[in-house]
Structure formats: structure tokens, C-alpha cells
Amino acid sequence: MNSSLHDLLSKIIKIGTLTVRGTGGEQRYGGGGGRSVAIRFTNEASELALLRDPQLQLGQLYMDGRLLVEEGDIYEFLALIKDNSLSEGLTFGMIVRGIGRMIEAQFRNRVPINHNRKNVSHHYDLDEKLFSLFLDEDWQYSCAYFNPPGISLDEAQIAKKRHIVAKLLAEPGQKALEIGSGWGGMAMYLSESSGVDVTGITLSTEQLKISRERAAKRGLAGSVRFELQDYYYLPPTKSYDRIVSVGMFEHVGRLNYRKFFNKVNDVLSDDGVMVLHSIGQPYPAIYNNPWIEKYIFPGGYIPSLAEVIPSIEKAGLLVSDVEILPMHYAYTLRHWRERFMANKERAKALYDERFVRMWEFYLAASEMAFTHEAFHIFQIQIVKKRQAVPDTRDYIYEREAELRAFEQSRLPLDKIAV
């Protein structure tokens, strides 16, 4: 093994056991007492690449099959690294590279160029069959709500929709807007459960096509419509009683938070209610993870509450409720990863082995962010008038009970005759 990499791993791995196999034989690191993982480098060039730039190269080496996990899996390897202190192993080159990325991120933030549609297409316009391999039956590609604990992924995704719709205080005859409507599941649930007329907007042409097909199959063409539309260009003359956005805010970009909430202020009625559901991190990031930026979510950014709340207030809106869901996305991602790996041969037939390894790494790294880096989900309820929502949260649980009764009579999409 490369001597510099050996020194680095010796400094980092104190808890657990990491066995590294490579061109120079086998080396073991750590004092035990935790996870036990074994990896193998296929050549010395792979060891050097990881040493030069671990943030980018770890994922690339795994994608390319140049770093193999022979005992445990890629999540266990990432978690083992995070169980230990990475600051012990920082090299001068890593520090310089980090400073360079910080400067690049600051420059990019000050020269905002709208690539929203291109960035969304990179991820969400993949073959629809891919998402069917690991999502629930309603294709909810956002954090589920495991309440009560231990329920299935399908049950938890229904619980997520139920929880959000209860917070919206939706009533028959209202008009609702969903910003980032995905494959249409939330919009259809909201309309059917609450008698609301819903407009969903998306920047994904594939999601638009499928959501329209699904709404037509449910007989909702008159009350649910989907449009290829950027939120920024919504006409201010339109007004909505309810606005919901789930898993879209991560693509807005921190320079655009004020624009986003100004637009919400433009189109939300005076007595309106909005629920924003987003991934959050515990503090503002200096720069994005370079592997995620390159391969998974170009232009994305995970906000902290400290960055979001001031933009809401400056737009003239009020925060009426904030709820933090600390571990629910970790559970969701574990379900997705297990389902995906159970169907990896089908995924390989759609794309190739490299793509499968990329997607596995993405799901594992995302799960690790929630189990080890204090990432979480926040749900913010937003109003213009404090009187728009009750003084206590009792209404949420009362409405959830009503929605459970609705769900008992709602037919799954695959049971609806065409």
C-alpha cells in the first residue's frame, strides 16, 4: 500500500476495524469495538487517487470498480469512516483543495445563472423504470414519515402525505399550488382527500408526462392539472389558498431564497397557508460535496434553517410552525437502498454496472448524512396572517384521523380500471 495512504488511515481509524487489501498485501487499521469492513484497491493508482482528493475520488473509484467492498457494504464503509474523526487525517493538499472549492463556490454564488431545467433534467428525467425499482407504489421520491415506528415504506409515504395535508388545513373548493409536483402523488392525494383544486408545476418533462397520465387514470383531470413551469415565472395575478412544496427547495439555490419566498408572497392568498418540506443541514455549508454536485444533483444545495428563516421574514411572511424530523430520511433511504440492490440486475439492464454502483453510492452516502452528520427534514408552515392557523397543534392530529378514514376507501392506482 502507498505509504502516505497508510499513514492517513492509521491516523483516522481508531474505532472499529478496517482491512485494506491492495497491490502490497493486506493491512488492518483500528482498535476494534465497532464496525468491521474490508475493502480492496485494484491498483496502486487508485490508492493515489483517493489520497489526492478523497471527497471526489472515493465515489468515483467505487463507481469504476477500482475500490471494492469485500466485507460489509459501502454504507458500512462510509459509516466506519464517519465513526472516527476525519480532522486527524487532513493533509495539506486536502486543505488547499477545500479552500479552492470554497472560493469556487463563493464565485458561483455571486454569478447566478439559471440552469434549473437542465439541472432537474439531469436527475429526474432518467428512465421511469429506474425509480419503480426502489420507490413506493405512489412514487414518492422524498422523505417518508415513519409514524408509528416500524411501518412499511408504503405506509410511511402515505403517513407523510397525511401529515402534510393535515398541516395545510385544506378545505373543499380551495385552490392549491404544488411547487415541484414530481409524479403527482401529493397533488392527487390532496385533491381527493380534501376536495381541493390543485395545480402542480415541475421542470421535469418525464415527471410531467407520467403525472398527467396518473391523474387521468384516477379521473382527476378536472381538479388536478400539471404544468411545465418554473415557479419564478408564476403570474402574480394568480392566487392560491394553499401552497405545498416537498423535496423541491433543495434545488432553489441559496441566492434565490428571497426570490422564492417573494413569489410565494405574490401568489399566496391573504388567509393562505403554505407547508415547505425540505432536507436541512445543521449549519450553512461552505461548498457542496463535489461528488454529489458532479454526478447526482448539479446546482443543488441543502439549506440550514438559519439561511431559510430570514428569507421568509424578509418576504413579509410569517412562520407559524416548524417541525424537525431527524431520522426519518435515514429510514427512507435504507428502504430505498435495500430495494434498489434487490433489483440491481434490472437496473443494470436499464443502464450499466457503473451506473448501478453510482446509484448505490448515492443512496448510501445520503443515508450516512442523516445517521452521522445531523442532516434532517424540516417542515415549515408559512402564513401571511397569524389567525390563518389555530393556536395549538391539536388540529393536525384531528385531521390526520379524518384522513386515515379517507385512505381506507381510496383505491390504489393499480386497482383502478382503465
Side-chain angles (χ1 to χ4, degrees), residues 110-393:
R110 283 162 172 74
V111 188
I113 301 173
N114 192 329
H115 291 307
N116 286 351
R117 186 166 294 182
K118 177 183 175 183
N119 291 339
V120 166
S121 178
H122 177 90
H123 191 88
Y124 295 97
D125 284 343
L126 295 169
D127 193 313
E128 65 190 72
K129 297 185 183 68
L130 170 69
F131 296 98
S132 71
L133 299 180
F134 66 94
L135 297 182
D136 65 299
E137 62 184 14
D138 194 36
W139 287 26
Q140 290 292 299
Y141 194 28
S142 57
C143 177
Y145 183 46
F146 288 85
N147 184 23
I151 58 178
S152 70
L153 177 63
D154 287 280
E155 291 170 320
Q157 290 292 11
I158 293 171
K160 183 264 300 292
K161 289 177 285 189
R162 182 193 311 136
H163 197 53
I164 290 173
V165 170
K167 290 183 178 184
L168 282 169
L169 292 154
E171 298 178 0
Q174 291 178 335
K175 293 187 180 299
L177 170 70
E178 183 179 12
I179 303 175
S181 51
W183 289 284
M186 177 63 77
M188 292 188 292
Y189 181 96
L190 174 59
S191 178
E192 288 184 274
S193 68
S194 307
V196 176
D197 183 273
V198 185
T199 298
I201 61 173
T202 180
L203 291 177
S204 167
T205 55
E206 286 299 309
Q207 288 186 330
L208 177 70
K209 175 180 69 101
I210 293 170
S211 58
R212 284 176 170 174
E213 291 171 355
R214 298 177 77 212
K217 187 174 181 180
R218 294 203 75 93
L220 296 173
S223 58
V224 179
R225 69 203 53 80
F226 298 99
E227 305 294 341
L228 194 68
Q229 168 80 61
D230 192 318
Y231 76 87
Y232 186 69
Y233 298 106
L234 285 167
T237 52
K238 284 195 174 182
S239 179
Y240 298 93
D241 305 294
R242 299 292 182 262
I243 300 176
V244 61
S245 184
V246 179
M248 174 272 179
F249 193 70
E250 300 90 326
H251 303 285
V252 168
R254 54 182 152 185
L255 278 190
N256 296 316
Y257 293 163
R258 182 72 180 275
K259 294 177 183 177
F260 180 87
F261 291 113
N262 282 343
K263 181 56 65 174
V264 169
N265 195 23
D266 285 345
V267 300
L268 183 66
S269 67
D270 289 343
D271 293 318
V273 178
M274 177 185 187
V275 174
L276 175 69
H277 169 117
S278 172
I279 302 172
Q281 58 181 319
Y283 44 79
I286 299 174
Y287 58 85
N288 287 344
N289 176 280
W291 187 86
I292 293 289
E293 173 75 27
K294 181 175 181 178
Y295 292 102
I296 306 298
F297 290 118
Y301 177 76
I302 305 300
S304 75
L305 278 173
E307 296 172 294
V308 178
I309 299 294
S311 296
I312 296 173
E313 295 170 345
K314 288 174 183 176
L317 298 163
L318 300 174
V319 173
S320 51
D321 189 88
V322 178
E323 183 176 9
I324 302 297
L325 307 178
M327 289 295 291
H328 291 263
Y329 218 160
Y331 308 145
T332 304
L333 286 155
R334 174 60 62 95
H335 278 280
W336 287 351
R337 185 162 59 87
E338 289 175 349
R339 287 179 171 214
F340 179 77
M341 294 309 293
N343 288 292
K344 67 178 183 179
E345 293 304 318
R346 294 170 62 190
K348 195 186 304 183
L350 290 172
Y351 290 97
D352 55 27
E353 175 71 27
R354 187 172 189 266
F355 181 92
V356 169
R357 294 174 69 85
M358 177 190 78
W359 206 261
E360 181 193 5
F361 189 88
Y362 150 57
L363 294 174
S366 299
E367 181 182 348
M368 184 272 299
F370 287 88
T371 56
H372 286 72
E373 296 182 348
F375 278 53
H376 54 270
I377 292 294
F378 59 74
Q379 290 182 351
I380 307 178
Q381 187 189 60
I382 300 167
V383 297
K384 288 185 175 180
K385 294 181 179 178
R386 187 67 68 195
Q387 297 79 9
V389 297
D391 293 337
T392 72
R393 280 182 166 179

